[in-house]
Amino acid sequence: ERIGLNFGAPGDRMTRDGTLWLDYPSVGGPSPSITVRTTPLTPTWHYRHSIWMKGGTGWPWVAASAVEGLGKLTLHDLKPGRYTVRLYFAELADNHPGDRVQTVSVQGRTALSQLDIVDQANGSMRGFVHEIEDVDVGDVLTLKLTAAIGKTLISGVEAIRQ
């Protein structure tokens, strides 16, 4: 009913509200088996400790890691239905507004157009969350990221069945 993917994180974590956040790729020990596919197959994974985060919204430990250069991600074997999808972002480099701009689509529909993470979060190392409600999911959730300037960047995705 609830799952989170924390890109580049060192391990899994469960929140009080019941979301199981899985490190992806799995590096922190045994995790539940899930099917995730990425394009490219080997984007760049980043990890920073959450102590370095300077605020913002969302879980700082989710925002503190990320995947860079991701074009497409598919999360398979979900229970069909309507979902709330939360996208987690933070700029982990010392970038300025305009250094990284991207468009993010969920299930083929644009969720964020011309997203500038530094501008949206009011600086680097600050997290923010974008929530999309009523996302129809058969059994696969698809994210597509397209860079306009620089490389794409996302810290995590959470899917909550409504």
Side-chain angles (χ1 to χ4, degrees):
E1 301 287 320
R2 302 174 75 105
I3 188 169
L5 295 179
N6 193 182
F7 304 121
D12 300 343
R13 192 171 192 164
M14 177 76 80
T15 61
R16 279 178 256 143
D17 61 8
T19 299
L20 175 59
W21 283 91
L22 301 175
D23 58 337
Y24 190 82
S26 183
V27 295
S31 291
S33 179
I34 59 169
T35 302
V36 177
R37 292 193 174 89
T38 64
T39 304
L41 291 175
T42 55
T44 304
W45 309 100
H46 296 283
Y47 169 72
R48 309 282 188 275
H49 193 281
S50 61
I51 197 167
W52 299 108
M53 297 306 294
K54 298 176 184 174
T57 60
W59 300 108
W61 45 268
V62 172
S65 58
V67 58
E68 185 176 33
L70 181 67
K72 183 178 178 183
L73 176 132
T74 55
L75 173 58
H76 296 258
D77 304 321
L78 295 176
K79 204 181 246 188
R82 288 188 179 264
Y83 283 76
T84 297
V85 176
R86 295 180 183 146
L87 306 173
Y88 290 71
F89 299 92
E91 178 58 65
L92 303 180
D94 189 23
N95 281 347
H96 303 285
D99 289 348
R100 184 189 311 267
V101 178
Q102 63 190 2
T103 296
V104 182
S105 299
V106 177
Q107 298 300 80
R109 297 178 62 195
T110 300
L112 292 161
S113 180
Q114 299 300 302
L115 169 64
D116 182 328
I117 296 172
V118 174
D119 185 55
Q120 182 73 33
N122 295 315
S124 293
M125 299 304 288
R126 298 179 55 82
F128 82 90
V129 180
H130 180 76
E131 184 173 294
I132 308 134
E133 295 181 342
D134 299 320
V135 176
D136 286 321
V137 175
D139 67 340
V140 177
L141 178 65
T142 302
L143 299 180
K144 185 176 178 191
L145 292 86
T146 307
I149 300 172
K151 293 182 179 179
T152 64
L153 187 76
I154 187 169
S155 295
V157 60
E158 181 179 20
I160 304 161
R161 191 163 182 269
Q162 298 173 336

